[in-house]
Amino acid sequence: MRGTSHQNGRRRWPARIGAALSFVLLAACTPPEAPPGLKVSPAAYSMLPGWDADAFDGVVPALLNSCKAIAKQADDAEIGPKALGGVAADWRQPCAAAKELSGTDTAAVKGFFERWFVPFQAEDVRGNGGLFTGYYEAEIEAAKSPDSLHMYPLYRAPKQAVTFTRAEIEAGALRGQGLEFLWLKDPVDAFFLQIQGSGIVKLAGGGEMRVGYAGNNGQAFVAIGKLMIAEGIIDRKSASMQTIRDWLRANPGKAQAMMNRNPRFIFFREVKENGPVGAMGVTLTAGRSLAVDPAFVPLGLPLWLDTTWPIAHGAIKKGSPLRRLMLAQDVGTAIKGPVRGDFFWGSGEEALNFAGAMKNPGKWYMLLPVTAAARKTLNVVDIVSSLK
């Protein structure tokens, strides 16, 4: 990092703020004001389980994506509910410093976050534990025109908002408006593409296209997996995206009726970026991007995740600690609550294996920009100055 001071436009900070700040904040901090239902408590990097073990691979590009979105906002723009993530001006210097990182020097990346961000533990005030699921970018086959194999349309968003249910749309409510722009082989693929919100399409005749979320029909989301468990169709212990998909494919006579019980319908657009785009408008990073509830968590914020692996991975056993730095860069219809996250695993069947099996308890810590965190403290500038 360069420079000898931290300037936010109103006050100048001591150069040695980084090493001592987490300790000072832990000892003399008024927690940031949080949305109802969220409890935010001062923490220190020594409290983050596994902090010293993360390789931080992929973190810097993911953070810079957050920075791109925040850079477009005015200095006084509030980041997150109740300005929990500070204002956009608080991100200017951390983001500038991040551009100087190579992203491959683990010690440098770790030191960067310890210098520019301050950890706070985030909890549900009701005492409920956190829940972490996974999602992925589907890979499917499609054609640009219908034929005997490709008969199930993917729709663009209508110019005017619609409230037709899934069943009504599947029955032809939007037919004849020229909204169909891709045709799939499998209605189950179309359904799961809507659940995930983005995908890579392998085009018949060669080439591929990336598609992403373009809108919805305004209907409430219903998780058919919960319905299938409640009705004894699938077992709770074995329930996953894969088991739901397998049942739908094995029961074509009942599949559409079951899918129609989720009335929410998603429209798509072609995406030109080199990866799926999240709610922040930036490309998601596999293994580093997280979907959150923006009613509680500021989009763009670094989060230290403490959960477990959903399946075995090489020498890593199922249930082993999964602890890493993530970026809150997306949202999801079913992602609701103070400590609720959806882990982006990447693209294809391997990513599906992880995402489909993930429904794990855990907790997280929010990393707030240092100036935003300091404004929540009691005389922190004078205390830090005395530590020189």
Side-chain angles (χ1 to χ4, degrees):
M1 280 69 74
R2 298 185 297 180
T4 58
S5 65
H6 185 71
Q7 184 72 25
N8 70 357
R10 292 188 293 274
R11 61 176 74 169
R12 184 169 291 275
W13 293 77
R16 297 188 181 180
I17 183 174
L21 186 55
S22 289
F23 171 78
V24 174
L25 287 172
L26 183 62
C29 181
T30 301
E33 185 179 7
L38 177 66
K39 177 184 177 182
V40 180
S41 307
Y45 283 101
S46 60
M47 296 171 58
L48 276 54
W51 174 253
D52 291 332
D54 194 352
F56 297 99
D57 51 303
V59 166
V60 173
L63 175 64
L64 290 176
N65 281 340
S66 287
C67 288
K68 289 177 185 177
I70 294 172
K72 298 176 183 178
Q73 302 186 48
D75 282 352
D76 60 354
E78 295 183 350
I79 306 301
K82 296 184 178 294
L84 184 58
V87 295
D90 293 315
W91 291 74
R92 305 299 188 220
Q93 287 193 297
C95 287
K99 293 179 181 179
E100 303 298 320
L101 294 170
S102 68
T104 58
D105 186 334
T106 299
V109 176
K110 178 173 175 285
F112 161 83
F113 281 98
E114 292 173 352
R115 167 66 179 87
W116 290 104
F117 290 87
V118 179
F120 289 81
Q121 185 168 357
E123 302 171 279
D124 189 324
V125 296
R126 298 166 296 181
N128 296 333
L131 176 64
F132 298 95
T133 51
Y135 69 118
Y136 74 109
E137 185 181 35
E139 289 186 355
I140 57 175
E141 295 182 8
K144 291 186 176 181
S145 301
D147 57 33
S148 59
L149 291 177
H150 304 88
M151 299 182 291
Y152 304 96
L154 206 62
Y155 288 91
R156 298 184 183 90
K159 292 182 179 179
Q160 302 295 327
V162 298
T163 57
F164 298 120
T165 65
R166 174 182 299 277
E168 291 170 330
I169 293 173
E170 296 290 2
L174 297 178
R175 197 171 298 151
Q177 299 184 34
L179 299 174
E180 303 92 342
F181 77 111
L182 288 174
W183 297 81
L184 280 58
K185 291 181 178 180
D186 185 354
V188 176
D189 280 344
F191 180 79
F192 272 87
L193 182 61
Q194 292 188 38
I195 298 298
Q196 299 307 309
S198 66
I200 299 173
V201 177
K202 306 291 185 179
L203 295 170
E208 66 179 37
M209 176 191 301
R210 177 169 268 113
V211 297
Y213 176 88
N216 64 73
N217 62 343
Q219 297 284 338
F221 173 80
V222 174
I224 66 168
K226 290 183 178 180
L227 299 178
M228 295 169 75
I229 292 171
E231 295 170 12
I233 296 173
I234 58 176
D235 181 70
R236 182 180 299 275
K237 292 183 179 179
S238 62
S240 67
M241 292 184 198
Q242 294 94 324
T243 55
I244 295 170
R245 185 180 66 175
D246 291 346
W247 185 90
L248 292 172
R249 286 178 172 166
N251 295 272
K254 301 176 180 179
Q256 191 61 60
M258 177 59 71
M259 292 186 290
N260 285 348
R261 293 175 70 178
N262 173 20
R264 193 173 183 86
F265 195 92
I266 303 301
F267 304 111
F268 291 90
R269 64 182 177 88
E270 183 176 0
V271 174
K272 298 296 185 180
E273 289 83 354
N274 292 324
V277 177
M280 283 194 79
V282 301
T283 302
L284 302 178
T285 302
R288 294 295 179 181
S289 293
L290 201 69
V292 301
D293 185 346
F296 299 99
V297 182
L299 287 178
L301 200 70
L303 297 164
W304 181 255
L305 176 64
D306 180 13
T307 185
T308 55
W309 283 87
I311 59 175
H313 178 56
I316 300 173
K317 296 180 179 179
K318 177 182 177 179
S320 297
L322 174 56
R323 296 163 172 162
R324 61 175 59 190
L325 191 61
M326 308 290 292
L327 278 297
Q329 296 178 323
D330 204 3
V331 302
T333 303
I335 311 305
K336 301 298 180 185
V339 190
R340 178 73 174 90
D342 210 19
F343 189 110
F344 177 61
W345 285 97
S347 305
E349 285 295 311
E350 183 178 13
L352 168 60
N353 291 336
F354 287 101
M358 191 170 186
K359 192 174 183 180
N360 301 352
K363 59 184 178 180
W364 60 21
Y365 297 80
M366 295 180 173
L367 273 58
L368 305 185
V370 66
T371 52
R375 283 200 298 276
K376 317 297 183 182
T377 66
L378 304 175
N379 300 320
V380 68
V381 177
D382 293 336
I383 296 171
V384 173
S385 297
S386 69
L387 297 176
K388 292 171 60 178

